[in-house]
Amino acid sequence: MPIKAMTQEWMDAYKAAIQADPEYKGIAKDWEGSVSLVVNPEPARNVPDPIYLFMDYWHGDVGDFVVCDKAKADSAKFVMTGDYARWKQVAYKELDATKALLQGKLKMRGDLPYVVRNIKTVNKVIDILGRVDTLWPDDNK
Amino acid sequence: MAGGYAGKFLRVNLAEGSWSDFTVGDDILRRFIGGSCLAAKLFLDRYPIDADPLSPENPLMIMTGPMVGSGFPGTSRFSVCAKSPQTGIWAESACGGTFGPDLKRAGYDGIVIEGRSHGPVTLTVDDSGVRLSDASTLWGRDIYEVTDELKARDKSAKVLVIGPAGENLARIAAIGNDKGHFSGRAGLGAVMGSKNLKAVVVRGTSAKAARADDEGFKLAMKAAMQEIKDSALAEGLHMMGSDANMDLGMVTGDVPVKNWTSGGEFDLAASLSGPTMREKYLTKAHACTNCPIACKRVVKVDDGPFATAEGPGPEYETCAVFGTMMMNPDLTAVIKANELCNRYGMDTISCGSAVALAMELYEKGEITEDRLGGLDLSWGNMDAVLELVRRMAYREGFGDILADGAVHAARRLGGDAMDAVVHVKGLEAPMHDPRGFHGMGLAYMMSNRGACHLQHFVLATEQGMASWPQLFDMKDDYEGTTSEGKAALVYNSENYGILANSLSICHYVAYSIRPETLRDAFNAITGFGFDFADILSTGMRDWTLKRGFNNLLGITSKDDILPKRAMTALEEGGAAGSVPDTALLLKEYYALRALDERGFPKAEMLDRLGLDELKSRLYQ
């Protein structure tokens, strides 16, 4: 049963999927720090307001995975912002997140060299995101 | 007179010790712009293309473009062009740094150097005129020493210098500008050496090229600065230099390992990467004239066997060829190798590729330690590598065999050595694996100076650094290890990207700004009023002209191939199991370029592009 995207239930499922991944712990052993995703509103796609998601990663473990407010999102070590449609493209692997960042389709605040150094971790959590059975706001499921 | 141009070129005959100015008409400038494209046009019109590249008959052309000196970001560049002594075909090598704007301010759009001096000379071009002076005391000395000496005489001078490799006619010799910037590829330092020309010094302060539209230029300039400020690519280049690619490229299968035989060496990449250089050895970022990105590295290694004084640091290409290609995890050794190549004046890609070939042959027992003059060339033994680099520059012992690059070395060594060389048309491939990015494989096959990542913008479009759907049809994201759809991407990325070397603008700046901004700046400077279609058709003319140049020298479809090693799939890494579908790529590409079965541009394409003289020579 697909879960509505960008809800707390969906965040819980995403966290569980990361924890269940047999490779994640090893790949992410050096990663320290929280990441927030800011989803810009697109009313035409059933996203009327901005959505803020906060995820805490620490040396292969995961902590808080919550839908949050702007202040909490801004407190993350890395803040990534983009239009809803772009995030959906990333989740479906139609658009690589690194490419989206370089092309300006996503924006990031945070230590870019740190992300580059840990690119395998970034790719892994995106790969897992794509496995969560998701109902997107503009899906007709 | 079109805007942006100084309005004259300098022709110097070293044999006669004479010089004169010449001009190029607006119609020619509008169609061939400047830089390497205009150089190819001038070469075909005025010089014999069948001359030996190291003979006095081969002209050495140092060319700027109309945007150089304008102050627009990334326009400090110039292109050095000639027939290549390494490949025997068209050669161009663009360089950043400081030289281009000063040449323009000295009143020249370019310099064409003919003949051979009887003894070592320095050419000086400044506000007071042109001079040739004896360079006997500079001959034999390395690029850093000579640069320092010439700048001690005039601290504001901008200099081009060759090192011992160029003097010794190593066919991989480079030309250095102010120590940290190089016209590296295709052996143009050897052409300069063959002319007994040790250095070119420019200092210009007075000449100022007119601009067609000052207000339009200001708007384009403002847009460019904002776009660069907003660009994550530009930010990454500023923070990590081009070596930011090391970590990312290892994941995607871009980085060649162990002379192109391995993949997926993530720990090796981490120790050689841009973030590592930044954390451990970077003292500051350095910019070419008028560049807000500042991708150049200045590094220092305080201690250890490869301690290096503060100076220009290695680019990604150098980190790969002296790092992953040699199974060397020590970034300090790469920094030292970079310094040696800079001092001796050798292209790091060709130099490192030749050394990596020798390491593989040593491992296989096909070259003995005895033949290497006592060097243990085991993978990763960088003490031996650095000594071999020195011997290459001075053509000592086995270094003489490698001094002309991997292809010439493999020919001399015989056996199956050539199977271990990744090259196209005699030029070793840069450090981007065509098995990981099939479009790059096609670009290698079709680049006019041989395997090259800088005659086009394929690196940016295929790897996703830039996306320009407003300029030509393209997707948001391309999978590297597929050949479908890549011919059109390469064709369009060539037609746009090849102009970097005629406008004389940096690839990284062009990747970071919108095509509209570049177009508007170009038009504001020149007054040409180009739209996107004009831009792309000018790129087509550029590519076709150089292709025709090479066709006249015997290049055909038989030369448009990837070598055996690049067509052998890897077992691990991001490119595992993948090789380009070269038949598909070439079939689609040939149709787009209107190349016939011989690989010649068809007559109707030459008509369309207005290349009448080339047509008459190809179809006489």
Side-chain angles (χ1 to χ4, degrees):
Chain A
M1 183 74 176
I3 306 167
K4 284 179 75 172
M6 303 173 291
T7 60
Q8 187 55 51
E9 185 187 8
W10 184 78
M11 291 293 280
D12 292 342
Y14 184 25
K15 179 177 176 178
I18 291 173
Q19 288 173 316
D21 186 276
E23 296 175 341
Y24 174 76
K25 222 174 186 45
I27 289 173
K29 64 182 180 348
D30 295 326
W31 183 278
E32 294 180 351
S34 51
V35 179
S36 63
L37 308 184
V38 179
V39 182
N40 293 330
E42 287 190 74
R45 297 177 190 271
N46 282 339
V47 183
D49 300 305
I51 300 170
Y52 303 98
L53 309 171
F54 182 94
M55 297 164 287
D56 195 15
Y57 301 95
W58 193 263
H59 290 272
D61 287 328
V62 284
D64 283 351
F65 263 51
V66 293
V67 180
C68 63
D69 59 15
K70 183 175 185 306
K72 172 88 170 171
D74 284 344
S75 72
K77 184 175 178 181
F78 299 94
V79 180
M80 295 194 69
T81 304
D83 293 346
Y84 160 73
R86 294 300 184 198
W87 286 117
K88 188 177 173 185
Q89 278 185 295
V90 169
Y92 278 120
K93 290 191 164 182
E94 294 168 358
L95 177 61
D96 176 84
T98 307
K99 293 176 184 175
L101 191 62
L102 295 174
Q103 294 171 16
K105 290 168 181 164
L106 296 178
K107 298 286 183 189
M108 191 192 81
R109 195 196 74 209
D111 183 352
L112 187 55
Y114 188 88
V115 173
V116 168
R117 165 157 284 169
N118 291 282
I119 191 66
K120 288 180 78 177
T121 301
V122 175
N123 289 346
K124 187 66 181 172
V125 294
I126 292 168
D127 183 50
I128 295 170
L129 175 63
R131 290 185 222 152
V132 178
D133 191 9
T134 301
L135 180 66
W136 295 91
D138 57 342
D139 282 349
N140 295 314
K141 290 183 181 176
Chain B
M1 179 72 199
Y5 295 93
K8 65 180 191 289
F9 295 79
L10 176 65
R11 172 185 163 276
V12 177
N13 188 301
L14 293 175
E16 298 169 358
S18 64
W19 53 85
S20 59
D21 296 346
F22 69 94
T23 59
V24 173
D26 273 10
D27 174 57
I28 298 293
L29 295 177
R30 186 182 174 86
R31 292 195 300 137
F32 301 95
I33 309 297
S36 66
C37 184
L38 184 59
K41 170 67 175 164
L42 295 176
F43 199 133
L44 279 165
D45 286 352
R46 297 171 182 227
Y47 297 96
I49 65 167
D50 53 355
D52 184 314
L54 296 178
S55 73
E57 287 72 37
N58 190 25
L60 184 69
M61 311 169 100
I62 305 167
M63 306 288 280
T64 70
M67 299 184 77
V68 175
S70 67
F72 193 78
T75 58
S76 72
R77 297 180 74 80
F78 60 98
S79 286
V80 183
C81 308
K83 184 178 173 185
S84 168
Q86 188 180 8
T87 65
I89 60 173
W90 172 251
E92 62 180 90
S93 190
C95 183
T98 59
F99 187 89
D102 256 53
L103 179 60
K104 191 71 88 62
R105 283 193 289 269
Y108 289 103
D109 290 304
I111 306 173
V112 180
I113 299 162
E114 306 169 353
R116 173 184 292 148
S117 170
H118 299 295
V121 290
T122 295
L123 169 66
T124 301
V125 182
D126 59 23
D127 296 335
S128 63
V130 179
R131 295 182 298 285
L132 286 168
S133 52
D134 177 55
S136 299
T137 59
L138 304 178
W139 201 257
R141 295 164 65 189
D142 77 39
I143 285 177
Y144 283 14
E145 291 174 28
V146 173
T147 300
D148 285 341
E149 177 155 336
L150 292 171
K151 284 179 169 289
R153 295 175 192 173
D154 179 354
K155 67 179 182 183
S156 298
K158 309 298 187 291
V159 300
L160 298 186
V161 182
I162 59 166
E167 295 173 9
N168 293 319
L169 307 183
R171 291 173 193 265
I172 60 171
I175 302 168
N177 168 217
D178 289 3
K179 295 185 181 178
H181 312 274
F182 282 82
S183 285
R185 304 237 66 195
L188 292 162
V191 177
M192 193 161 154
S194 76
K195 298 185 176 307
N196 284 327
L197 180 61
K198 179 68 178 177
V200 181
V201 179
V202 298
R203 188 181 180 202
T205 58
S206 57
K208 186 170 172 59
R211 225 182 260 142
D213 174 6
D214 280 336
E215 197 54 39
F217 180 76
K218 281 181 197 165
L219 289 171
M221 183 84 174
K222 186 178 176 188
M225 296 303 281
Q226 187 62 49
E227 288 160 19
I228 290 168
K229 188 178 174 191
D230 291 343
S231 166
L233 175 64
E235 181 191 0
L237 288 164
H238 175 74
M239 298 182 86
M240 295 170 277
S242 61
D243 198 27
N245 186 62
M246 183 63 78
D247 285 305
L248 304 174
M250 188 57 79
V251 172
T252 57
D254 189 49
V255 182
V257 179
K258 202 177 184 183
N259 199 29
W260 306 89
T261 61
S262 183
E265 296 283 347
F266 298 108
D267 291 342
L268 193 55
S271 68
L272 297 164
S273 70
T276 298
M277 196 186 311
R278 175 182 167 82
E279 286 167 20
K280 294 187 173 177
Y281 309 113
L282 185 76
T283 58
K284 61 186 171 190
H286 170 72
C288 300
T289 304
N290 291 123
C291 183
I293 295 179
C295 72
K296 293 284 186 174
R297 307 291 85 183
V298 178
V299 296
K300 182 182 177 191
V301 179
D302 286 323
D303 46 34
F306 306 115
T308 304
E310 185 178 44
E315 304 265 1
Y316 159 74
E317 303 290 334
T318 309
C319 292
V321 79
F322 282 99
T324 56
M325 281 276 281
M326 298 180 185
M327 301 302 287
N328 160 47
D330 187 345
L331 188 52
T332 66
V334 175
I335 289 169
K336 178 57 75 178
N338 183 66
E339 188 201 52
L340 292 184
C341 284
N342 285 0
R343 284 181 175 275
Y344 299 141
M346 279 192 290
D347 176 50
T348 58
I349 296 173
S350 290
C351 178
S353 296
V355 173
L357 165 68
M359 293 176 113
E360 179 174 331
L361 297 178
Y362 179 77
E363 182 186 47
K364 290 176 176 171
E366 293 174 22
I367 301 173
T368 62
E369 197 166 314
D370 190 41
R371 190 169 185 194
L372 288 166
L375 296 178
D376 167 13
L377 213 52
S378 298
W379 295 109
N381 185 357
M382 295 306 286
D383 287 320
V385 167
L386 298 181
E387 171 57 16
L388 187 53
V389 168
R390 188 194 67 77
R391 293 182 192 179
M392 289 168 70
Y394 290 95
R395 286 192 175 280
E396 292 178 9
F398 196 79
D400 178 56
I401 293 175
L402 300 183
D404 295 325
V407 174
H408 286 268
R411 284 195 193 116
R412 287 175 70 175
L413 292 166
D416 58 1
M418 196 63 82
D419 289 347
V421 181
V422 173
H423 76 99
V424 177
K425 301 181 178 79
L427 190 67
E428 304 91 347
M431 300 294 105
H432 303 282
D433 198 321
R435 292 164 294 194
F437 291 91
H438 294 188
M440 185 59 80
L442 176 60
Y444 285 170
M445 287 191 280
M446 301 312 302
S447 290
N448 283 318
R449 72 171 182 185
C452 179
H453 64 306
L454 295 172
Q455 308 293 298
H456 48 77
F457 287 163
V458 174
L459 190 68
T461 55
E462 188 180 30
Q463 298 206 11
M465 296 176 217
S467 179
W468 302 305
Q470 69 274 49
L471 187 59
F472 48 80
D473 185 34
M474 68 178 292
K475 299 192 295 185
D476 282 328
D477 196 345
Y478 287 87
E479 186 185 342
T481 53
T482 184
S483 298
E484 282 76 26
K486 293 291 178 65
L489 180 70
V490 170
Y491 168 76
N492 286 313
S493 300
E494 282 177 337
N495 289 340
Y496 185 39
I498 199 170
L499 294 174
N501 293 350
S502 56
L503 309 180
S504 297
I505 187 168
C506 171
H507 279 226
Y508 289 150
V509 169
Y511 296 172
S512 302
I513 64 175
R514 296 179 310 130
E516 291 88 341
T517 303
L518 181 54
R519 175 200 63 197
D520 293 349
F522 172 75
N523 284 335
I525 291 168
T526 61
F528 286 165
F530 278 17
D531 59 21
F532 283 155
D534 295 324
I535 286 171
L536 295 175
S537 67
T538 303
M540 288 171 66
R541 183 180 300 112
D542 189 336
W543 188 92
T544 305
L545 180 74
K546 292 167 186 169
R547 176 69 174 191
F549 185 105
N550 286 340
N551 290 142
L552 291 169
L553 288 168
I555 290 294
T556 70
S557 54
K558 292 188 177 66
D559 301 294
D560 300 334
I561 55 171
L562 287 176
K564 182 178 177 181
R565 176 145 299 174
M567 293 298 291
T568 303
L570 295 167
E571 293 179 0
E572 67 277 295
S578 168
V579 294
D581 182 345
T582 55
L584 173 72
L585 290 163
L586 288 169
K587 181 185 171 191
E588 293 180 355
Y589 182 89
Y590 264 49
L592 290 163
R593 279 263 175 248
L595 297 172
D596 66 19
E597 66 280 0
R598 299 171 302 161
F600 281 39
K602 290 179 180 172
E604 55 265 34
M605 176 59 85
L606 295 165
D607 288 338
R608 178 180 157 195
L609 297 173
L611 296 172
D612 302 338
E613 289 173 29
L614 179 61
K615 180 185 166 188
S616 67
R617 291 171 73 169
L618 286 171
Y619 289 93
Q620 62 185 346

